[in-house]
Amino acid sequence: MTATAPPAEAVEITAKSAARSGLRAWLSRHPLAAYALRRFGLYLVELWGALTVAFFFFRLIPGDPVRTLIQTLQQNYIYNQQASTEVIARYQHEFGLDGNIFTQYLKYMNKLILHGDLGPSLINYPTPAQNVILHSLPWTIGLLGISAVLAWVLGIIIGAVAGWRRGKAGSAIITNLSIALSHVPFFFVALILVYIFAYTLGMLPARSAYDSNISPGLSLDFIGSVLKYGLLPGLSIVVIGAFGWILSTRMLMVPVLGEDYLTYAEAKGLKPWRILTRYALRNCYLPQVTAFGISLGFIFNGNVLVEQLFNYPGLGTTLVTAIQQLDFNTILGVTDMAIFSVLTAVLLLDLLLPLLDPRVKYWK
Amino acid sequence: MTMRVLTAVLRTVRDSRRLATGLVILALMVLLALFSPLIVHAIGNGHDPLELAAYEKWLVPSGDHILGTDQFGRDVLAMVVSAMSVSLQIGAIAGVISTVVGVIVAFVAGYKGGWVDGVLSTFTGILLVIPTFPLLIALSAYAKNVSLFRVGVMISIFSWPFAAKTIRSQVLSLRSRPYVDLARVSKARDLEIIGTELLPNLLPFIGVGFASSALGAIFGLVGLEVIGLGPGGVIDLGQIIFNAINTGALTLGAWPMFVVPIVLLTLLFAALNMVNIGLEEVYNPRLRGVAGE
């Protein structure tokens, strides 16, 4: 019996027929399925709630994107000075700003859920906002994804060794460093690195994602350029990110180190490395994978600044540009995407954990 | 009741070297912030060192100006000292508001249980998954020239759910303890139970909630300032970093302008983090020695 989430229609059907005793009985015999259903229901409620809060938040902030757009048009082309009410009404309709806020809300949710359509963007009018977002996504996923995985792997390895050799000189230094630096914003390190390597030594580029003289493609030149330009922003994420993982790995591992089964493993004459990976770290794997999945959803909070600093053409830079120009559709789109990814990651982990870890109780 | 709370605090501090270190660093920074007007006055030596064109611009660090001057000829040391006081005030305001709201929500949800808890917890969970940074940037785009207090309130809107979540889980674990049941049986009122039985035991977690919210608020404002979207009229450490990036201090070699704010903020984050971990260690003995002693 696997705990995969049923499709949405199935949830509706169960809701309707929950009164029927047959299903009730079946669910009480299959606690895992009941848990999965309940968990999926909560997921839908949270998703709807978060999307709704985000929508109203942005709609209630003052600011008129349509007027901004018309001003831009007037500046760029010689547009007639008085935008006619007809033109304004058409744009308002296009941006989903006509009617009162509740009809706007219903229309927005309808378009978003049924067509994945966020409406036109302002920073790149008339390109739809979802295309603007998709265009900048690969850079963010590439740079941040690789850096985040590297930080996580490094953090677990270093944290495990530091926990294993606790009381030794190097271990205390590493731990105290992690405590001091694990909450430092990424862009502090980024700034210092830029100052040293880009301005003082002139070794590495400080802006953009690749050399503009090289045309993007699958050539060695281009890939090399991408790596070279991504080195500094990536490094600043890896360094600070790793400290956080070192700390949490230690915290998970140290309480286990005094346990009898470790002494027994040692007495059996197993090699230290094997004891470390198979016995001592056993308790860290699941929580750390869970934490990693959740942390991926929150990549927007610190990384906007790093991307902005390096002028990296990713999601963070797009977001800041969108905010500076009141491009609500794009801002809301990025926010919605973040919400969806966090909630989905947590849902998948919650559904998989009972299958992987016998200690997790799902019939709360 | 106050005595009990006080002894709980003192015992906690005495038990953890890490907590004590963090608190000492914090206390020193708060002192520096409190005396910042005097320090600025002393640097100015009779006139205001923060005035535009008070001195030559872009002076290198020397005996007269330990950290040099900026693009408008203001003394960088004086700027940094007063900016740090602003950052700390923001952290304190947002920290207090988030903690109070978080504690109230957590107590109502955790203590009452049932559907109240369900609704409040779901709502808190919903707010927790909305990425705060885009919202904060958007909000600040309309918050030009607001007072320092208002900025603090604005930022705390986004940081209370975290405090609420931390504290609620503790309320739940404490609620079922035998001595709470005993108090209930002996007809003590809800408020009385919360005040005398629950609050002293929850103090460390309230402390963690406060430290995390303050840290988040200071970082949030610094983040806004660094991309040039901070509220006008509030000069915090982030604003100085933004000026350094934008006026080319990086290329001019005026390193104190961005290195000193970064070092100060790093020290502040480190101190708050030590307080957090110290508190967790005191109340979770299994973690002791995680420190590598």
Side-chain angles (χ1 to χ4, degrees):
Chain A
M1 156 89 239
T2 54
T4 45
E9 306 87 67
V11 175
E12 270 183 11
I13 294 163
T14 42
K16 277 179 196 148
S17 57
R20 280 188 222 150
S21 56
L23 186 80
R24 271 244 171 99
W26 186 83
L27 280 179
S28 65
R29 278 201 310 276
H30 298 80
L32 202 58
Y35 160 79
L37 266 181
R38 237 197 349 263
R39 185 65 194 77
F40 189 73
L42 184 69
Y43 164 79
L44 290 179
V45 168
E46 281 184 333
L47 191 61
W48 166 81
L51 293 178
T52 305
V53 170
F55 173 88
F56 281 102
F57 181 88
F58 284 111
R59 276 294 191 281
L60 294 174
I61 285 182
D64 186 353
V66 171
R67 225 179 47 207
T68 321
L69 177 74
I70 285 172
Q71 271 170 359
T72 327
L73 287 176
Q74 284 174 348
Q75 280 157 10
N76 294 351
Y77 327 107
I78 320 281
Y79 183 76
N80 76 352
Q81 287 307 305
Q82 299 298 322
S84 65
T85 43
E86 236 171 276
V87 173
I88 293 181
R90 230 207 70 211
Y91 277 129
Q92 289 213 314
H93 177 72
E94 204 179 331
F95 281 95
L97 293 165
D98 47 350
N100 72 22
I101 193 158
F102 290 102
T103 49
Q104 285 179 28
Y105 166 71
L106 290 176
K107 243 173 37 189
Y108 181 86
M109 291 301 254
N110 181 16
K111 266 167 124 183
L112 174 68
I113 292 162
L114 295 182
H115 311 284
D117 180 17
L118 299 163
S121 67
L122 253 178
I123 43 177
N124 229 337
Y125 185 78
T127 316
Q130 63 269 25
N131 295 6
V132 172
I133 293 172
L134 287 176
H135 191 75
S136 58
L137 205 55
W139 290 111
T140 296
I141 290 182
L143 176 75
L144 297 179
I146 293 170
S147 311
V149 171
L150 263 179
W152 185 69
V153 171
L154 272 176
I156 287 190
I157 294 172
I158 299 172
V161 173
W164 188 248
R165 298 171 49 85
R166 74 186 185 294
K168 305 252 169 38
S171 163
I173 293 170
I174 291 271
T175 308
N176 285 316
L177 258 183
S178 313
I179 288 177
L181 298 179
S182 58
H183 271 281
V184 172
F186 295 148
F187 76 96
F188 282 13
V189 182
L191 252 179
I192 304 277
L193 287 176
V194 165
Y195 180 64
I196 296 171
F197 290 103
Y199 289 108
T200 313
L201 301 176
M203 280 165 41
L204 287 164
R207 298 187 79 65
S208 155
Y210 55 90
D211 192 340
S212 53
N213 299 325
I214 303 172
S215 56
L218 273 176
S219 64
L220 273 179
D221 274 356
F222 179 70
I223 293 168
S225 167
V226 167
L227 289 176
K228 189 175 163 185
Y229 278 73
L231 186 61
L232 284 184
L235 199 61
S236 46
I237 294 170
V238 171
V239 169
I240 295 299
F243 279 122
W245 295 114
I246 289 174
L247 211 55
S248 51
T249 306
R250 272 200 63 130
M251 289 235 169
L252 286 165
M253 188 173 138
V254 166
V256 180
L257 288 176
E259 298 282 341
D260 291 343
Y261 66 87
L262 279 182
T263 322
Y264 177 62
E266 247 173 299
K268 273 202 301 194
L270 292 177
K271 291 201 169 58
W273 183 251
R274 198 182 159 81
I275 299 177
L276 179 66
T277 51
R278 289 288 174 82
Y279 291 73
L281 270 177
R282 202 65 201 262
N283 287 323
C284 310
Y285 293 140
L286 269 183
Q288 290 300 62
V289 170
T290 311
F292 183 71
I294 293 169
S295 76
L296 278 187
F298 288 99
I299 56 176
F300 299 94
N301 278 347
N303 305 313
V304 171
L305 299 166
V306 176
E307 284 192 5
Q308 175 79 0
L309 181 70
F310 286 97
N311 212 356
Y312 211 81
L315 214 52
T317 311
T318 305
L319 182 69
V320 175
T321 316
I323 284 169
Q324 284 164 342
Q325 300 188 22
L326 296 187
D327 182 355
F328 285 146
N329 288 341
T330 305
I331 307 170
L332 199 48
V334 174
T335 313
D336 288 350
M337 214 183 61
I339 290 168
F340 178 76
S341 50
V342 175
L343 280 174
T344 310
V346 177
L347 172 79
L348 289 177
L349 290 165
D350 275 356
L351 290 177
L352 288 175
L353 270 184
L355 302 177
L356 298 173
D357 188 343
R359 291 170 309 175
V360 173
K361 282 219 226 65
Y362 46 79
W363 52 83
K364 277 183 194 132
Chain B
M1 177 190 151
T2 22
M3 267 321 289
R4 286 189 60 171
V5 170
L6 265 180
T7 46
V9 171
L10 281 173
R11 202 182 52 231
T12 311
V13 175
R14 210 187 47 223
D15 280 353
S16 165
R17 233 188 16 199
R18 176 153 295 126
L19 180 61
T21 316
L23 286 173
V24 166
I25 297 176
L26 275 183
L28 285 175
M29 292 182 109
V30 169
L31 274 179
L32 197 61
L34 284 177
F35 288 110
S36 67
L38 290 175
I39 297 169
V40 169
H41 192 74
I43 294 170
N45 215 346
H47 60 278
D48 185 6
L50 297 176
E51 230 173 71
L52 297 187
Y55 312 99
E56 290 281 305
K57 60 182 182 183
W58 293 127
L59 286 176
V60 286
S62 67
D64 293 339
H65 302 285
I66 298 170
L67 300 177
T69 58
D70 73 343
Q71 78 273 25
F72 298 124
R74 292 175 294 190
D75 184 281
V76 173
L77 179 63
M79 280 171 70
V80 166
V81 172
S82 55
M84 197 183 78
S85 130
V86 169
S87 283
L88 283 176
Q89 285 175 60
I90 290 283
I93 294 165
V96 168
I97 295 174
S98 316
T99 313
V100 170
V101 175
V103 167
I104 293 172
V105 170
F107 268 113
V108 172
Y111 196 76
K112 287 286 171 207
W115 68 269
V116 178
D117 183 22
V119 170
L120 280 175
S121 302
T122 309
F123 186 65
T124 311
I126 283 171
L127 289 183
L128 275 172
V129 295
I130 300 177
T132 53
F133 210 67
L135 302 191
L136 201 55
I137 303 177
L139 192 59
S140 70
Y142 302 96
K144 294 284 174 237
N145 297 321
V146 282
S147 67
L148 193 150
F149 180 75
R150 277 209 181 154
V151 175
V153 173
M154 200 173 86
I155 292 181
S156 64
I157 295 173
F158 301 104
S159 49
W160 71 262
F162 184 76
K165 194 182 174 177
T166 312
I167 298 162
R168 175 184 163 266
S169 57
Q170 289 307 320
V171 175
L172 284 183
S173 80
L174 284 174
R175 200 182 55 178
S176 51
R177 300 272 167 91
Y179 61 85
V180 177
D181 287 337
L182 185 68
R184 273 205 185 138
V185 173
S186 61
K187 289 267 170 48
R189 285 201 320 276
D190 273 1
L191 270 179
E192 222 173 308
I193 295 175
I194 289 172
T196 56
E197 307 291 347
L198 294 181
L199 214 51
N201 289 304
L202 277 172
L203 268 184
F205 299 99
I206 293 173
V208 169
F210 175 81
S212 310
S213 314
L215 197 146
I218 293 166
F219 170 59
L221 187 61
V222 166
L224 286 180
E225 297 279 10
V226 165
I227 47 181
L229 290 167
V234 179
I235 298 188
D236 72 324
L237 288 168
Q239 177 106 24
I240 299 181
I241 298 174
F242 172 70
N243 283 338
I245 297 173
N246 261 31
T247 54
L250 290 157
T251 44
L252 288 165
W255 58 267
M257 241 182 108
F258 60 92
V259 171
V260 176
I262 284 180
V263 168
L264 276 178
L265 283 168
T266 303
L267 199 61
L268 181 63
F269 290 144
L272 285 169
N273 209 17
M274 279 184 211
V275 170
N276 269 350
I277 291 175
L279 284 171
E280 273 171 22
E281 276 173 10
V282 168
Y283 277 80
N284 187 354
R286 292 189 70 185
L287 287 177
R288 268 181 229 172
V290 169
E293 267 91 277

